[in-house]
Amino acid sequence: TETELALRRGIEADELVLEYQPIVDLATSRVDGAEALVRWRRPDFGLVGPNDFIHIAERSSLIIELDRWVLERCCERLAGWRDRDALSPIRLAVNISGRHLMEGDLVADVAAALERTGADPSMLEIELTETHLLGDLDLAVETLRALRDRGVRISIDDFGTGYSAMNHLRHLPIDSIKIDRSFIVAARVSDADAAVVDAVLAIGRSHGLEVVAEGIETAEDLEFVRGRGCDRGQGYYISYPLPIESAEALMFSTLAMQHA
Ligand code: C2E
Ligand code: MG
Ligand code: MG
């Protein structure tokens, strides 16, 4: 399609841009990392969000090229953070499409980006959604294990929304789960939904996983997820996705987040 073609050219023409959304350690309020989120500065269209083009890229192997571009850019940035990390650990999370996991060579692509840039693998986190992992559980387990053997962290994004990975968690070599923001939204108004958050936390705990709450939009949300014992938090109340330099300023300042 036209958009697909334009995107293919856009990747080559460096029309993609990344923003970083800060993530806080809820116990200390320190910004201890960020998630890289892609945007497309499409000529004549302005800044286009990922919800308007990732699904188009996912129709073909174009998504693998897009993911590789993001991986490379993020690892370049991470390489520059090596010295700063000596003070306190900091991580950058990259979203990877299920198609890349299933049809591409994700392990080789990650290894290439790390080697070419000299980034520290332990500062890189790969986010995947559960539906993708469960499509071919054996392949997923093998791939995740290979990534973790290299020192990269694995996180399950939008946890609870897909074909649930709940039953398979003990087979999956992962480090953390991100509770989808729909549960945080629902927990504001319903005790039953608040109980879902507790259940996810209990499951995460019993598997030794870090639990991250997404979509923190108000002071009440923040108090709620902190009170329930989530480890880390992310959302508009803490910070919007920011230009990279602004996010870095927050990550590397010694001050804790004002709101968090
Ligand atoms: P995601 O990985 O779950 O990313 C979180 C999305 O929630 C981001 O939207 C972020 O801006 C938004 N968000 C953060 N805090 C809040 C909040 O408090 N309230 C609300 N309502 N939203 C919040 P964004 O940037 O539009 O990204 C949408 C999705 O596009 C991502 O969901 C991810 O699945 C995909 N995506 C983004 N960047 C990439 C990428 O580089 N590669 C791939 N393969 N997918 C990407
Ligand atoms: Mg994500
Ligand atoms: Mg998410």
Side-chain angles (χ1 to χ4, degrees):
T1 65
E2 192 187 317
T3 310
E4 193 180 326
L5 213 69
L7 181 58
R8 196 175 288 278
R9 283 200 215 97
I11 296 175
E12 283 158 26
D14 251 348
E15 288 170 12
L16 298 186
V17 283
L18 290 174
E19 288 187 329
Y20 289 178
Q21 186 175 33
I23 301 176
V24 291
D25 175 343
L26 290 171
T28 63
S29 295
R30 191 179 78 89
V31 179
D32 68 347
E35 175 176 7
L37 296 162
V38 73
R39 283 89 180 81
W40 179 17
R41 212 181 288 284
R42 185 176 182 189
D44 304 328
F45 285 80
L47 199 62
V48 185
N51 289 330
D52 292 326
F53 64 87
I54 289 289
H55 66 281
I56 295 168
E58 278 176 338
R59 286 189 207 141
S60 70
S61 60
L62 185 55
I63 188 64
I64 297 179
E65 274 158 62
L66 186 148
D67 281 350
R68 278 199 200 119
W69 182 91
V70 175
L71 270 172
E72 287 276 327
R73 292 291 95 71
C74 287
C75 286
E76 279 167 7
R77 214 71 199 180
L78 273 179
W81 294 0
R82 266 184 177 275
D83 299 335
R84 296 166 127 153
D85 187 57
L87 300 169
S88 38
I90 201 123
R91 311 196 307 241
L92 184 59
V94 172
N95 293 285
I96 292 293
S97 156
R99 182 154 192 155
H100 195 168
L101 176 75
M102 290 306 159
E103 294 171 23
D105 193 346
L106 182 59
V107 180
D109 290 341
V110 170
L114 289 170
E115 273 151 37
R116 201 185 60 71
T117 58
D120 177 346
S122 70
M123 296 166 75
L124 178 67
E125 195 156 40
I126 301 288
E127 292 192 6
L128 293 154
T129 62
E130 54 194 337
T131 312
H132 292 137
L133 298 180
L134 301 182
D136 183 340
L137 197 60
D138 292 339
L139 176 62
V141 168
E142 187 189 325
T143 306
L144 300 191
R145 197 164 282 143
L147 288 169
R148 286 179 93 222
D149 284 347
R150 292 186 170 268
V152 174
R153 295 177 60 96
I154 309 291
S155 175
I156 300 192
D157 205 353
D158 307 335
F159 190 79
T161 58
Y163 170 46
S164 182
M166 217 66 99
N167 299 327
H168 302 280
L169 267 189
R170 71 200 150 88
H171 301 299
L172 290 170
I174 60 171
D175 300 282
S176 71
I177 50 184
K178 297 184 85 168
I179 307 180
D180 190 68
R181 77 166 169 272
S182 59
F183 294 110
I184 308 299
V185 171
R188 278 178 211 151
V189 291
S190 130
D191 289 343
D193 286 297
V196 172
V197 173
D198 286 337
V200 172
L201 267 162
I203 287 164
R205 286 280 167 275
S206 66
H207 291 83
L209 302 172
E210 176 187 85
V211 178
V212 184
E214 291 187 317
I216 298 171
E217 292 181 343
T218 65
E220 290 71 33
D221 291 347
L222 180 61
E223 276 329 295
F224 170 71
V225 299
R226 181 182 272 146
R228 296 291 163 140
C230 292
D231 299 293
R232 300 172 84 211
Q234 176 181 2
Y236 294 164
Y237 184 72
I238 293 165
S239 171
Y240 289 103
L242 301 171
I244 293 175
E245 287 76 12
S246 311
E248 286 179 342
L250 290 175
M251 281 184 262
F252 300 120
S253 76
T254 48
L255 297 170
M257 279 309 271
Q258 193 185 355
H259 273 147

